[in-house]
Amino acid sequence: MPLYLADYHTHTYISGDSRSTLLENITQAHRVGLSELCMTEHWNLLNQKGERLPTHYDFSPLLQQWEQLQDTWANRIQVRLGIELGNSTVDTAAVEEGLKLPELDFVIGSLHSMSLARDGVGIFTCAKACTDRTLALDVLEDYIQQMEALVEAGTFDVLGHIIYPLRYFPTQFQLSLEPWQDRLEEILKKVIESGKGMEFNTSQGSTIRQWIPLLTQYRALGGEIITLGSDAHRPEYIGAGFDQAVELLRSLGYRWVCTYRQRTPKFHSIM
Ligand SMILES: [Zn+2]
Ligand SMILES: [Zn+2]
């Protein structure tokens, strides 16, 4: 039986940093043999300049698209409605209100910006301009602190792309999250205890092996809830790197990948 694979991190033009349409994403997902696709548009509370964004998210354009395509595609591929929440701890109460939408299946908790104490500037912007490794380590420290706060707040189903800052700093800095291993252990323990999960984000197929330390740590702590996400901002990246990712998960002792219905994980065997 073919594996039940689902891309649980995808963007369309509604996110603002993609030009894809949902139809293009669904067509591609079906073409590459995925059984399910979750739309996870950006709902960021801070922009790259560190300015506050509206704490109310208008789900209507999303719902409209989703409903339109449900009718024509429902018997070929499942399409679920999710959201990628960025820096939700800026206003946890407002976010909790927004997450009450009954159609919402899945929430990724991401951190794209530094804390407000660090002016909330985007990690991408900061990393691309960074010439000083010490500054990079400061950003990572701030990032881990924010993740601790996010896990306390609990406004997510899976922690989004934990290795996110490592994507963007100069490679010659040779950064890793190893210095924060103990604190990540506490973070992951809380994730597991609260019935939440972690995403394995392939970053459009470009990061697979970078996940080995975290995936190993999470599994050793008993973590089983994993979603697979390509973070595709273009249709051709839907499902990118999933074959390798599944192979890696198996080799590290994982038996399942998850999808979500109404914020509840469903397990699909990868054996
Ligand atoms: Zn993200
Ligand atoms: Zn994303």
Side-chain angles (χ1 to χ4, degrees):
M1 212 176 86
L3 291 183
Y4 191 101
L5 289 182
D7 194 335
Y8 258 59
H9 195 141
T10 66
H11 296 277
T12 73
Y13 68 89
I14 291 175
S15 283
D17 58 354
S18 162
R19 289 184 184 174
S20 314
T21 64
L22 181 56
L23 177 61
E24 288 172 321
N25 282 357
I26 292 176
T27 307
Q28 179 68 2
H30 186 249
R31 186 182 299 145
V32 299
L34 299 183
S35 304
E36 191 167 322
L37 174 131
C38 188
M39 321 158 61
T40 56
E41 310 294 358
H42 286 300
W43 173 9
N44 286 319
L45 273 77
L46 295 170
N47 67 14
Q48 285 290 311
K49 291 182 195 157
E51 294 158 348
R52 300 276 291 255
L53 294 171
T55 49
H56 170 78
Y57 186 84
D58 179 10
F59 280 96
S60 47
L62 216 60
L63 282 167
Q64 229 171 30
Q65 276 210 34
W66 180 59
E67 276 158 14
Q68 260 172 23
L69 289 163
Q70 279 287 333
D71 295 342
T72 36
W73 285 81
N75 55 358
R76 283 175 280 178
I77 183 165
Q78 294 288 315
V79 187
R80 312 313 312 174
L81 184 70
I83 197 84
E84 181 184 12
L85 251 175
N87 290 73
S88 63
T89 50
V90 165
D91 195 339
T92 300
V95 162
E96 277 170 348
E97 250 334 279
L99 295 184
K100 285 180 182 160
L101 184 81
E103 290 90 344
L104 194 63
D105 283 308
F106 178 62
V107 180
I108 301 174
S110 296
L111 296 162
H112 298 122
S113 299
M114 286 190 277
S115 64
L116 287 175
R118 301 285 305 253
D119 296 332
V121 174
I123 293 170
F124 171 81
T125 303
C126 172
K128 286 292 170 194
C130 188
T131 53
D132 178 2
R133 189 174 190 273
T134 314
L135 177 66
L137 293 174
D138 269 5
V139 173
L140 286 177
E141 169 60 31
D142 179 74
Y143 180 72
I144 297 291
Q145 272 180 31
Q146 288 200 83
M147 206 179 294
E148 288 165 342
L150 177 60
V151 168
E152 274 314 315
T155 41
F156 64 92
D157 296 318
V158 300
L159 273 185
H161 46 49
I162 297 180
I163 64 171
Y164 176 77
L166 306 181
R167 286 182 191 170
Y168 303 120
F169 281 102
T171 44
Q172 68 265 27
F173 287 1
Q174 301 198 324
L175 296 176
S176 83
L177 295 175
E178 223 218 300
W180 293 275
Q181 208 178 357
D182 293 351
R183 286 167 62 195
L184 278 168
E185 180 165 324
E186 292 308 311
I187 287 170
L188 294 177
K189 272 186 193 163
K190 255 185 206 145
V191 163
I192 295 164
E193 279 162 17
S194 54
K196 297 182 189 295
M198 172 173 108
E199 75 157 344
F200 180 1
N201 183 308
T202 68
S203 189
Q204 314 200 127
S206 68
T207 59
I208 308 281
R209 302 198 63 78
Q210 289 88 331
W211 281 91
I212 292 174
L214 259 178
L215 288 169
T216 305
Q217 193 178 19
Y218 183 59
R219 188 72 276 273
L221 294 167
E224 292 214 275
I225 300 179
I226 286 267
T227 56
L228 273 180
S230 65
D231 216 344
H233 285 67
R234 287 164 64 165
E236 61 264 38
Y237 291 120
I238 298 285
F242 279 20
D243 289 348
Q244 265 178 290
V246 166
E247 213 171 289
L248 179 61
L249 285 173
R250 283 193 194 120
S251 76
L252 296 172
Y254 288 92
R255 294 167 295 167
W256 323 95
V257 287
C258 288
T259 58
Y260 276 75
R261 279 299 137 79
Q262 304 208 298
R263 316 282 312 274
T264 305
K266 285 183 69 170
F267 291 80
H268 305 273
S269 173
I270 53 168
M271 302 306 284

